[in-house]
Amino acid sequence: MDKFTHNMNSPDAFEHRFKALSTAISGVVYSFNPDWSIMYELDGRGFLSDVTEPTADWKKRNVYREDIEKVDNAIAEAIKNKCVLELEHRVLKADRTVGWTFSRAVPILNDKGEIKEWFGVASDITERKLAEQSLKKSREILEQQKRTYETIISGTPDLMYVFDLNYRFTYANQALLQMWGKTWDEAVGKGLLENGYEPWHAEMHQQEIDTIKTTGKSIRGEVAFPHATLGRRLYDYILNPVFDEGGKVIAVSGTTRDVTERDQWEQKLKQSAERLQAINEEFAAVNEELSASNEEILAVNEDLAKANANLISAQQTIEEGKLALRQAIEAANFGTWYIHPKTLQFVTDSRLKELFGYLPDDNLTLEKALAQITDEYRDLIAGKLEHAIYSLGDFDVTYPVIGLHDNKLRWLRAIGNRIAEPNGEASGFTGVIMDITDQKMEEIRKNDFMGMVSHELKTPLTSLSAYLQLLEIRAKENPDDVSQRAISKSVQQTKRMTDMINGFLDFSRLESAKIIIETTPFDVAELIEEVKEETKMLYTTHKFIFASVKSQFVSADRLKIGQVLANLIGNAVKYSKPGSLIQVSCVALPNEVKFSVWDEGIGIKADDLSKIFERFYRVENNNLISGFGIGLYVSSEIIKMHKGAIWAESEVGKGSVFSFNLPIGN
Ligand code: ADP
């Protein structure tokens, strides 16, 4: 500066030097007045248009419009500080296009230190500027791209990273840093071990990086390792080579994806598929079974259809049977009834009503029906009915009824059956009723006839036995043995005949309900004693043992009890071999006296035991032994009239015991 100031002292020298300098300089040379309002001259060098005359129009001519303000500011600053002005700005080139210049102007000061003139040089920096601008633009684009990638990469949950060939991380995305729990600065530039990889894991990747370096090929793998917070996870990773322009591997980039859940899903899917397969198999098996059972069902169905057809035909048969039965009942003129076991509701048909002298529309109750039965039979029948309904007793009864409206006597026979449910409970009591008046009248007539005959026979027989007894006494005085024996036999036979006729008479009386029990108190010991004497006289073929009997009084029909005993002893003799033993006992128990007759005879089968007390019942195969089948019947009726019981125990071939008891105090 000092040099300039000094040299400027001579204008010629200055002029000369300026010219020399401007020629030597490749750039534009210019000069201005102190406040830059007038440009003295400008050597444009083809870059700017030359100014040879001082001009105030220089800005418009040379400076790019938008940079004028910037230029003004720089000038103002330089004037103010009287210092060198340095400025890059746009210009209007000589060809009127826009260019760039670097302008440097120096103030020339006078002696007072005031600015006398500005002298400057401007170089064409258009090329550099354009290069700079395009570089900046490229950088900006690059930055923009980098930001875009960064945004994408940091937004992904996948882990992304780049290794250099020394296994150091040169890049780690946000997700990876987050997984490590490290910042960029802490992690980038560090190796695998430093970033917390387990040695085996670090070594694995290092080997892979080496491999990629030599092969230039990607590697893909799966690895499981512990995550900072989520625990053990499974990762799928891919490592890719990064090539330089020459195709040399310069780095290895990687992407790792957490596939734990996918893996879990895959596992689950696999399991589901397996389960599905198993279910399918089971299904197929079940299907097979089903089709097998289907066949069975079909077979069963066929059987069922057959059974059904059978049932239908059976039902038809039953219906036909029912109809036939109903017709038979109607033809037989039976009345039918049904009694409800609980309500005792009495359901009858009109024939039954007719038999009780009721009209078809009359209401006939059980009570009303019983009321029509004659007095002697009513209680007996009511009792039997009750027994039949509640105790499952047999019901086969014969009784006389006086008709309600017609007042007619009818003998009816009712046979009933209790209908039992499978559980044993009665569901009803039903049966038929028939008019047996004709038979009954016939029977009564026969019975009366038998009674009459017996009665008529008894009178001469009584006198016959009286005469015989007289003869017997006389014969004892007469030493004629023959007549003595004959008379004694006659007495025995007459006695038997009398017993027989008495039996018929009793039977006939029983049948016509005319038998009468005349009770008197008597000592059973005495009765037995009498029976013993009589037995010994009558039967000489058998051995007899009469157990000793204590004196005991009972109230009963002495004659008839004697008859019962005689009947049992007579049977014992009849149904056992001569010479066998017959025993008779009579024991007093707390409330009753029990009589028994033992024999060693043929015995009675169990089936027959319950029937031998029925009238006219005789055990088969004993036809050789004479009898009428009324003795036990009459005996049992007599004992029942005394409110006692009679029964037999026996073993075929060994013998029998017949017993009856009489209540004491009757
Ligand atoms: P019957 O006149 O036939 O003897 P009963 O009424 O006295 O009539 O007896 C009925 C039937 O009982 C007899 O026919 C006989 O078969 C049988 N019976 C009675 N007592 C005996 C007995 N002590 N031993 C074997 N059978 C007997």
Side-chain angles (χ1 to χ4, degrees):
M1 190 66 72
D2 285 347
K3 240 183 186 175
F4 270 111
T5 314
H6 171 74
N7 289 337
M8 293 293 267
N9 288 337
S10 158
D12 291 341
F14 174 74
E15 192 80 9
H16 179 71
R17 285 177 159 196
F18 177 76
K19 290 273 190 241
L21 189 63
S22 61
T23 312
I25 293 170
S26 61
V28 174
V29 179
Y30 59 85
S31 62
F32 277 93
N33 68 340
D35 66 359
W36 288 72
S37 56
I38 294 164
M39 179 186 268
Y40 294 139
E41 56 191 327
L42 183 143
D43 183 356
R45 299 291 170 110
F47 170 48
L48 302 177
S49 48
D50 296 339
V51 172
T52 48
E53 296 294 318
T55 174
D57 199 23
W58 62 274
K59 274 186 209 166
K60 203 174 162 198
R61 279 174 52 134
N62 296 107
V63 181
Y64 181 63
R65 198 169 6 102
E66 286 177 18
D67 284 359
I68 289 175
E69 195 184 341
K70 183 174 148 188
V71 170
D72 283 347
N73 288 341
I75 291 170
E77 186 71 18
I79 293 172
K80 191 177 145 203
N81 296 324
K82 294 178 188 168
C83 65
V84 176
L85 176 145
E86 271 182 345
L87 182 68
E88 276 182 10
H89 66 90
R90 280 171 287 182
V91 290
L92 284 171
K93 291 185 6 186
D95 59 6
R96 308 312 296 164
T97 61
V98 180
W100 276 90
T101 182
F102 175 66
S103 196
R104 196 158 199 265
V106 183
I108 312 290
L109 304 179
N110 61 17
D111 299 337
K112 293 175 191 159
E114 293 161 343
I115 299 170
K116 206 174 99 188
E117 192 179 17
W118 289 88
F119 178 69
V121 179
S123 51
D124 180 1
I125 57 163
T126 308
E127 293 275 311
R128 179 171 64 85
K129 262 298 183 196
L130 287 178
E132 260 178 29
Q133 273 179 348
S134 95
L135 196 67
K136 197 180 160 206
K137 190 129 203 160
S138 308
R139 260 201 210 117
E140 272 171 13
I141 291 167
L142 213 62
E143 278 299 314
Q144 176 70 30
Q145 277 178 345
K146 200 182 158 202
R147 274 200 301 278
T148 308
Y149 292 144
E150 198 57 47
T151 310
I152 294 168
I153 289 170
S154 64
T156 170
D158 292 345
L159 313 173
M160 294 180 150
Y161 41 87
V162 180
F163 292 109
D164 63 16
L165 298 180
N166 293 319
Y167 326 123
R168 277 192 301 263
F169 284 93
T170 55
Y171 175 79
N173 77 341
Q174 197 52 39
L176 183 58
L177 292 172
Q178 204 175 327
M179 194 189 92
W180 287 335
K182 290 186 174 187
T183 64
W184 172 275
D185 292 337
E186 284 166 349
V188 172
K190 305 271 169 58
L192 288 148
L193 285 174
E194 288 162 296
N195 274 326
Y197 282 61
E198 285 174 34
W200 65 267
H201 195 181
E203 196 168 317
M204 183 180 90
H205 285 324
Q206 286 172 4
Q207 279 175 10
E208 285 165 347
I209 292 166
D210 287 344
T211 310
I212 292 169
K213 195 173 126 187
T214 45
T215 62
K217 284 186 180 158
S218 302
I219 288 179
R220 186 168 186 167
E222 262 187 14
V223 64
F225 57 85
H227 184 277
T229 50
L230 299 176
R232 196 165 181 80
R233 312 287 291 177
L234 182 72
Y235 296 92
D236 176 19
Y237 66 92
I238 184 155
L239 298 177
N240 291 312
V242 180
F243 300 106
D244 67 1
E245 283 167 3
K248 206 176 122 197
V249 177
I250 51 163
V252 172
S253 73
T255 312
T256 297
R257 179 164 290 181
D258 184 337
V259 292
T260 315
E261 273 163 26
R262 191 198 70 194
D263 187 62
Q264 284 168 353
W265 276 111
E266 273 173 7
Q267 293 289 339
K268 277 184 193 157
L269 266 175
K270 203 175 145 208
Q271 283 169 4
S272 306
E274 279 169 5
R275 227 176 294 147
L276 207 67
Q277 173 71 17
I279 288 170
N280 259 353
E281 277 167 24
E282 264 175 48
F283 194 71
V286 169
N287 232 4
E288 248 175 59
E289 272 174 38
L290 260 180
S291 71
S293 39
N294 228 7
E295 274 168 32
E296 269 172 46
I297 287 172
L298 281 182
V300 169
N301 258 357
E302 257 175 50
D303 288 351
L304 265 177
K306 279 183 205 158
N308 219 11
N310 286 346
L311 203 70
I312 288 169
S313 84
Q315 261 167 0
Q316 275 171 356
T317 314
I318 288 171
E319 286 306 321
E320 286 164 13
K322 269 191 194 165
L323 189 68
L325 216 59
R326 175 44 53 194
Q327 284 167 348
I329 287 170
E330 275 167 21
N333 228 356
F334 288 163
T336 54
W337 92 90
Y338 167 83
I339 298 171
H340 190 279
K342 288 196 177 114
T343 61
L344 293 186
Q345 192 194 353
F346 191 45
V347 184
T348 65
D349 61 4
S350 54
R351 172 62 180 155
L352 187 135
K353 289 181 185 173
E354 190 188 337
L355 293 175
F356 280 79
Y358 272 68
L359 298 172
D361 291 336
D362 287 346
N363 175 31
L364 178 59
T365 63
L366 196 56
E367 258 182 17
K368 285 180 184 170
L370 284 170
Q372 299 312 121
I373 298 175
T374 58
D375 294 344
E376 314 96 278
Y377 280 86
R378 190 178 304 112
D379 288 350
L380 177 79
I381 301 303
K384 287 204 172 186
L385 191 64
E386 198 181 313
H387 183 66
I389 295 172
Y390 298 115
S391 312
L392 201 60
D394 288 339
F395 191 69
D396 183 352
V397 289
T398 300
Y399 52 89
V401 157
I402 308 287
L404 177 73
H405 295 302
D406 56 11
N407 231 12
K408 201 172 147 188
L409 172 83
R410 288 186 188 87
W411 276 88
L412 304 180
R413 183 176 175 194
I415 302 170
N417 238 326
R418 203 183 73 146
I419 311 163
E421 292 285 324
N423 64 6
E425 254 184 49
S427 69
F429 186 67
T430 182
V432 293
I433 206 156
M434 60 199 99
D435 186 350
I436 54 156
T437 313
D438 292 347
Q439 297 102 294
K440 192 66 192 178
M441 286 309 167
E442 180 68 18
E443 208 178 287
I444 288 171
R445 275 194 295 278
K446 279 185 194 161
N447 193 42
D448 287 350
F449 174 74
M450 189 166 85
M452 205 176 64
V453 170
S454 310
H455 189 74
E456 291 304 315
L457 282 175
K458 213 185 155 184
T459 319
L461 200 62
T462 313
S463 36
L464 182 66
S465 79
Y467 288 125
L468 278 174
Q469 276 169 10
L470 193 71
L471 269 179
E472 198 179 21
I473 296 161
R474 286 270 174 89
K476 276 181 186 160
E477 292 161 5
N478 190 341
D480 181 358
D481 269 3
V482 178
S483 36
Q484 250 184 36
R485 268 207 306 281
I487 288 165
S488 147
K489 285 276 176 212
S490 301
V491 169
Q492 275 178 23
Q493 295 308 323
T494 316
K495 167 77 180 130
R496 276 194 191 169
M497 211 165 155
T498 311
D499 283 352
M500 251 186 252
I501 285 171
N502 277 336
F504 288 139
L505 266 179
D506 281 343
F507 178 78
S508 139
R509 285 183 192 134
L510 263 178
E511 286 301 283
S512 51
K514 282 181 197 147
I515 196 161
I516 296 161
I517 300 294
E518 289 171 12
T519 54
T520 47
F522 64 90
D523 189 348
V524 289
E526 277 178 22
L527 176 69
I528 293 291
E529 195 54 36
E530 264 174 41
V531 171
K532 180 177 163 185
E533 288 311 315
E534 211 164 81
T535 303
K536 286 195 168 157
M537 188 198 82
L538 275 175
Y539 308 109
T540 50
T541 47
H542 290 70
K543 285 185 260 172
F544 288 94
I545 296 177
F546 279 79
S548 65
V549 181
K550 279 186 189 161
S551 169
Q552 172 66 53
F553 275 79
V554 292
S555 259
D557 189 322
R558 192 179 194 275
L559 202 70
K560 292 206 160 53
I561 298 301
Q563 268 177 39
V564 171
L565 275 170
N567 182 34
L568 296 182
I569 292 166
N571 278 347
V573 170
K574 261 203 304 190
Y575 299 107
S576 60
K577 280 184 187 152
S580 63
L581 180 66
I582 294 168
Q583 297 181 72
V584 179
S585 75
C586 174
V587 197
L589 299 168
N591 297 316
E592 62 199 24
V593 183
K594 184 182 168 192
F595 299 82
S596 298
V597 177
W598 273 268
D599 67 52
E600 300 172 338
I602 59 172
I604 306 158
K605 280 192 288 178
D607 278 357
D608 291 320
L609 272 179
S610 59
K611 296 177 188 157
I612 50 174
F613 296 98
E614 290 170 14
R615 61 182 194 161
F616 305 130
Y617 191 85
R618 303 203 70 221
V619 172
E620 275 178 35
N621 300 331
N622 69 2
N623 298 340
L624 294 174
I625 305 162
S626 68
F628 304 105
I630 59 169
L632 286 179
Y633 169 68
V634 172
S635 297
S636 89
E637 290 302 307
I638 289 171
I639 298 302
K640 277 191 236 163
M641 283 175 174
H642 282 87
K643 297 200 164 56
I646 184 164
W647 68 97
E649 295 151 273
S650 183
E651 203 177 321
V652 176
K654 295 245 169 105
S656 314
V657 192
F658 280 80
S659 308
F660 67 90
N661 55 23
L662 292 176
I664 295 173
N666 243 1

